[in-house]
Amino acid sequence: RGFPSGGTFTINGLPLLNNTFNAFQAGPGQHLIRYVTDSNNCVFSKDAFIEVEEIVASISNLNPSYCENDPEVRLIGKPYGGFFNGPGVLGDLFIPSFAGAGTYLIEYTGDSAGCSYTQFVPVTIFSNPTPSTLPILRIRRIPAVGSRAGIST
């Protein structure tokens, strides 16, 4: 609210809708807020600067791909205090075998100083390789002078 009442606010020279500042609409950076009022034919204005900081959420310690049988990974999210969500996620652990084969988005979301943040990171889980059947080896004796054993498949 401005005082004396009845004035108008602008942000960076543009009218402020309903005299309400919206940090998301303003975007990151420094913004000039100006209040102008006309009382008794005297124009009065007051300026203030507001700095909007961008919150950048990130997930670290998560590789782009895993095999189903790879060990669990402890996820690290910034800013601290958020929550992880997605297939194979249990608290702050990512467990590839729980997710199963496929490509998924792991989400990190939270709230810091009244501002929400969300980050998605893709991860691919590959099926465990299935060993193929080994050929049966036959060993036979080749009769000859100074005999030798031969191996065939």
Side-chain angles (χ1 to χ4, degrees), residues 14-124:
L14 300 173
L16 198 57
L17 184 63
N18 296 325
N19 286 338
T20 303
F21 179 76
N22 183 315
F24 182 76
Q25 289 177 341
Q30 192 175 62
H31 303 281
L32 171 64
I33 305 292
R34 176 171 284 154
Y35 180 73
V36 179
T37 186
D38 182 352
S39 177
N40 300 323
N41 291 325
C42 295
V43 176
F44 171 80
S45 70
K46 180 71 175 176
D47 293 347
F49 287 93
I50 294 179
E51 181 78 25
V52 176
E53 294 182 6
E54 183 175 17
I55 296 176
V56 179
S58 66
I59 300 173
S60 58
N61 211 31
L62 182 67
N63 293 329
S65 63
Y66 294 90
C67 289
E68 281 182 302
N69 60 349
D70 282 342
E72 65 188 33
V73 175
R74 186 164 307 279
L75 301 173
I76 300 169
K78 289 185 182 175
Y80 297 107
F83 300 95
F84 296 99
N85 190 20
V89 173
L90 183 61
D92 65 348
L93 295 178
F94 176 67
I95 307 168
S97 62
F98 284 11
T103 299
Y104 308 103
L105 288 176
I106 304 303
E107 176 186 21
Y108 182 65
T109 186
D111 182 79
S112 178
C115 297
S116 298
Y117 55 85
T118 301
Q119 175 68 34
F120 293 95
V121 175
V123 64
T124 300

